[in-house]
Amino acid sequence: MNYDIWRELFETHCLGFGVAHHLQPLKAKEIDDTEWIRVDSIVKSWLYSTLAQPLLHMILKKKAITHSIWVDLEKRFRDNKENKALQLESELRNITMGDSSITHYCTRIKTIVNLLENLDAPVRERNLVSYTLSGLKKKFQYIATTIRHQRSVTSFMDTRFMLIMEEHQMLLDDQKIIVMPHSDHSSSPTVLATDGSYQHQNNSRGPNNFGGGRGWPEWSWWKGRKIRR
């Protein structure tokens, strides 16, 4: 599935070093050119070093030039192009988000689209947006409806951006913490001291305290109040 990416990167590398012509058919004047053969061996070693071991064993040829190996790889990965395109189109039409994030979901879609383009089966922008919206979770139904009813055709990248923003807002809503009003402050008449500090403070008052020196507040403090033991 990564052949087209590899091909683009390898061609770019060869263009940068001025040796892309080694990927083209051999010219008659280059057959006995010692310098050409030397450079071709270098390019061929680059090609070999980027292949997985099983694939390397399949295409390795004795005294083969870079172009013949390049063509062999092309044939192996381009065979049954029509069948591969049909398979990828079916996968794209039936793709679903599942438990993926919007970013990962859209990346999967874009990967399939790129593969189809490389197989000469490009996907229309309108269809691509429709496939993307159809595979979303139910919680994205509102934003999906909004995108569908826009007057102008929304691009895939615009759709992706809108969905990412919607997902981000959903995450923020889920993380909100409801802060209850705090009424237990020093001015509240309902605050009760439960650590025994008042009792400890009055232990030094002696036997004149209510209760015979047991640490209770003076009688004047309790006057008019009901006490429950």
Side-chain angles (χ1 to χ4, degrees), residues 6 49 156 159 173 185 225:
W6 171 85
S49 65
F156 172 74
T159 299
D173 291 342
H185 47 76
R225 299 179 182 269

Side-chain angles (χ1 to χ4, degrees), residues 25 79 83 143 209:
D79 286 345
N83 291 335
I143 187 66
N209 295 340

Side-chain angles (χ1 to χ4, degrees), residues 44-77:
K44 184 169 60 175
S45 67
W46 291 348
L47 193 153
Y48 284 153
S49 65
T50 61
L51 301 180
Q53 197 73 13
L55 181 60
L56 176 61
H57 288 299
M58 291 176 63
I59 59 96
L60 189 63
K61 295 180 181 178
K62 189 176 181 179
K63 296 183 178 181
I65 62 175
T66 302
H67 174 255
S68 65
I69 301 171
W70 184 256
V71 172
D72 190 14
L73 285 169
E74 181 79 8
K75 289 179 179 179
R76 289 180 183 275
F77 285 96

